[in-house]
Amino acid sequence: MGLCMLVKEFWRAYFFLFSPQFWRMALLWTFSILFSYYQLFKPYLFSHKPISYPRCSPSTSSSRPVCVVTGATSGLGLTAAYELSKEGYVVVIVGRSQQLLSETIRKIKDWNKDARLKAFEVDLSSIESVVKFKTSLRQWLSDSDLHCSIQILINNAGILATSPRVTPEGYDQMISSNYIGAFALTKLLLPLLASSPVSAKIVNVTSFTHRAVTDVQVDEETVSGKRFLRSMCSSYPCAHIYEYSKLCLLLFSYELHRQLCLMGKSHQIFVSVADPGVVKTNLMRELPTIISCLAFFVLKRLRLLQSPECGANSIIDAALAPPGTSGAYFFGGKGRTINSSALSRNAKLARELWESTSKLLSVTPFGAEGNSW
């Protein structure tokens, strides 16, 4: 049985090695991360001062601040949850597995005995699950000794799927997990963020891979992933869809920042983006084991591979940035920021994406409640 599985794994690796998705990852993703580092170090090369922000302690109020972290059961999310618990936040950890959530609470408690945590089992790819979470979170806050608000929302959950899977709403699961779920959750939690007695922050965790996208459609068919699924020739375009989902999250972040400015709430809710870079997490667990091990080996040799503790620095930088920091793209740690791709900063495209996603979700349990913002 062991030999049979080994042979099967070798065949999976062989076919993936000769797929367009592998070479897209190997070439375009490598170029994308190198370009991000070029932007990071360019100010030093030309004797310019880089744009960076110091970390600030939580604003004082009558009760402890609350932070919601999605995808918090491993890797970057787990590290971010632990770091924020040390800063005095009550951390709400969100994940898909009750068992992993329990293990996460135990781990963080072992590292920080004073941590105050609350776990919710949520599937971010399911709109119904997201809506139920909003109701449960509000009820928990009302029943607790905390102010009925949240101060930080970190949309970190994401997957890299290698096979097509469809959500109950009919969306591609990877796009739904990486973008649509974050869009719905953010809009549903905006009232809790707006009711915070101190300024609130939204941090969307994106990826340098968005730079690989040079042309994009943001109609409902594409946003839902149906266009990708229909256009499949022989294999699932996992790399392309992952890049697209991360670009959508960026466009949404910048549009949300603009929308809050138009609503006069830009002094109250701040939106930033965090790019952790290349991090050794279980994101590539669906790739053939040989391929993922080879990728980690090469990236480590190139000194591009980071631990979750290092990669999470950009997320913590964004979460603890001074009030007023909004629309920034954090990358490289030490509070440093760079520019995302020109396509991601296209305001017209961002507005069209906002409208398409809102229309797409209008026929789901998200409905009018979320679209009121």
Side-chain angles (χ1 to χ4, degrees):
M1 181 65 180
L3 180 62
C4 185
M5 291 296 293
L6 186 62
V7 170
K8 185 178 180 181
E9 186 65 21
F10 266 108
W11 272 111
R12 279 189 70 222
Y14 176 81
F15 282 113
F16 190 77
L17 187 65
F18 290 97
S19 70
Q21 301 310 306
F22 171 80
W23 291 104
R24 189 176 184 95
M25 291 178 182
L27 299 178
L28 292 184
W29 289 16
T30 302
F31 174 79
S32 297
I33 186 63
L34 290 174
F35 186 78
S36 291
Y37 275 109
Y38 166 73
Q39 280 208 18
L40 186 68
F41 293 115
K42 184 171 66 172
Y44 300 102
L45 296 173
F46 297 99
S47 301
H48 296 152
K49 187 177 180 181
I51 300 174
S52 61
Y53 299 90
R55 292 184 182 181
C56 298
S57 299
S59 301
T60 56
S61 63
S62 57
S63 62
R64 291 180 68 174
V66 177
C67 172
V68 177
V69 184
T70 68
T73 55
S74 65
L76 294 165
L78 171 60
T79 303
Y82 165 59
E83 291 295 334
L84 289 168
S85 75
K86 291 197 301 181
E87 293 290 333
Y89 284 89
V90 177
V91 182
V92 175
I93 57 175
V94 177
R96 288 182 294 175
S97 165
Q98 189 60 56
Q99 179 183 346
L100 290 177
L101 286 167
S102 300
E103 291 175 7
T104 299
I105 289 179
R106 179 183 53 77
K107 286 179 184 177
I108 297 177
K109 284 285 190 180
D110 286 343
W111 300 334
N112 176 19
K113 61 181 178 59
D114 297 322
R116 186 171 174 185
L117 310 164
K118 175 65 177 178
F120 286 93
E121 185 179 358
V122 185
D123 180 1
L124 267 296
S125 70
S126 165
I127 302 304
E128 182 180 1
S129 181
V130 172
V131 173
K132 286 181 179 178
F133 167 60
K134 187 268 301 185
T135 305
S136 300
L137 177 63
R138 181 181 284 276
Q139 186 62 53
W140 172 72
L141 286 169
S142 299
D143 295 340
S144 71
D145 59 344
L146 302 167
H147 189 273
C148 194
S149 64
I150 58 178
Q151 284 62 56
I152 299 178
L153 167 62
I154 299 179
N155 286 309
N156 167 72
I159 61 171
L160 174 57
T162 57
S163 58
R165 295 190 287 271
V166 180
T167 69
E169 293 81 15
Y171 311 148
D172 172 82
Q173 189 184 45
M174 180 153 51
I175 293 181
S176 192
S177 297
N178 297 359
Y179 164 62
I180 299 176
F183 179 98
L185 179 63
T186 302
K187 293 191 73 177
L188 287 169
L189 296 188
L190 278 174
L192 289 176
L193 289 157
S195 61
S196 171
V198 297
S199 59
K201 296 170 187 171
I202 299 167
V203 179
N204 290 327
V205 181
T206 185
S207 167
F208 58 89
T209 59
H210 81 274
R211 298 185 188 278
V213 183
T214 55
D215 187 31
V216 68
Q217 292 177 290
V218 291
D219 56 282
E220 289 180 61
E221 285 286 294
T222 311
V223 172
S224 67
K226 293 177 182 177
R227 190 181 301 278
F228 289 107
L229 297 174
R230 280 208 311 268
S231 63
M232 281 172 50
C233 296
S234 57
S235 61
Y236 180 65
C238 58
H240 193 185
I241 293 177
Y242 183 81
E243 300 157 7
Y244 178 81
S245 67
K246 291 300 181 179
L247 175 65
C248 286
L249 190 59
L250 258 175
L251 288 164
F252 164 61
S253 303
Y254 295 147
E255 181 59 24
L256 178 59
H257 168 68
R258 284 188 286 267
Q259 290 283 335
L260 291 169
C261 289
L262 290 173
M263 291 189 290
K265 296 184 180 294
S266 57
H267 65 287
Q268 190 177 8
I269 304 175
F270 308 114
V271 187
S272 292
V273 175
D275 180 348
V278 183
V279 184
K280 190 173 183 179
T281 66
N282 60 5
L283 179 70
M284 295 201 294
R285 62 184 175 272
E286 291 192 29
L287 296 181
T289 305
I290 300 170
I291 297 294
S292 58
C293 289
L294 177 63
F296 285 143
F297 175 79
V298 173
L299 290 166
K300 187 175 182 179
R301 289 289 181 181
L302 293 173
R303 297 186 181 277
L304 294 174
L305 186 64
Q306 306 173 90
S307 66
E309 290 73 26
C310 290
N313 278 328
S314 61
I315 300 174
I316 305 303
D317 289 341
L320 300 182
T325 307
S326 196
Y329 187 102
F330 285 84
F331 177 81
K334 300 179 181 178
R336 293 174 293 184
T337 61
I338 60 174
N339 288 327
S340 57
S341 70
L343 187 63
S344 71
R345 289 177 277 118
N346 185 317
K348 181 175 179 293
L349 192 65
R351 180 61 189 170
E352 290 173 357
L353 175 66
W354 179 288
E355 292 173 351
S356 294
T357 311
S358 297
K359 189 174 180 182
L360 188 70
L361 291 171
S362 64
V363 295
T364 69
F366 176 84
E369 181 179 1
N371 281 328
S372 63
W373 275 78

